[in-house]
Amino acid sequence: MQEMEWHLFSAMFLLAISYTLQKDAHVRVDIFYANFAKKTQALINILGFILFILPISLLITYYGIDFAYNAYTINEQSGDPGGLTQRFIIKSIIPISFILVIISGTIFAKNNYEVLKQ
């Protein structure tokens, strides 16, 4: 049961990343950001997506697909006696969550681009 708890917590956390980005509720250092004009904030958000979110999300998705596929092909199971089987299920949540981050980030950048155009 404890192993199931870890897997469910991991899935919840990974899938919440894109939701948090979509709602613009992610953690950031607001010392300077809060004092910037809306257009400057939008520019920072777009650059942050292009320079940070997109590259790491693409890398994690690319390598995460292989990670999950390898777990599937070898029928990876828990090393604990009576542990969970089909570990590929939780490992497949990794690339799925970052595909969702790419989609949410694209929408987030598009919305910030609309602010820049005003």
Side-chain angles (χ1 to χ4, degrees):
M1 289 306 280
Q2 180 148 10
E3 199 169 347
M4 177 64 86
E5 175 188 358
W6 296 342
H7 286 211
L8 291 174
F9 179 75
S10 299
M12 179 185 70
F13 177 78
L14 285 167
L15 295 172
I17 297 169
S18 60
Y19 175 79
T20 305
L21 179 61
Q22 185 181 22
K23 296 295 181 184
D24 195 19
H26 53 283
V27 176
R28 69 167 62 115
V29 180
D30 279 342
I31 295 171
F32 302 112
Y33 181 86
N35 297 325
F36 291 152
K38 293 290 182 194
K39 287 188 178 189
T40 307
Q41 290 178 348
L43 182 61
I44 290 170
N45 290 336
I46 292 169
L47 290 174
F49 171 71
I50 293 170
L51 297 175
F52 300 109
I53 296 172
L54 188 59
I56 195 70
S57 295
L58 289 171
L59 279 172
I60 291 172
T61 300
Y62 179 77
Y63 288 108
I65 290 170
D66 261 355
F67 187 58
Y69 182 72
N70 288 338
Y72 175 76
T73 57
I74 65 170
N75 196 22
E76 185 177 354
Q77 299 180 11
S78 173
D80 297 331
L84 295 175
T85 60
Q86 288 115 10
R87 228 183 216 173
F88 72 92
I89 295 171
I90 190 62
K91 289 186 176 187
S92 66
I93 297 292
I94 297 168
I96 289 169
S97 70
F98 281 92
I99 289 169
L100 292 173
V101 167
I102 292 168
I103 293 168
S104 292
T106 303
I107 294 167
F108 180 70
K110 179 191 159 291
N111 292 341
N112 280 282
Y113 181 72
E114 295 298 324
V115 171
L116 268 181
K117 285 182 12 180
Q118 292 177 356

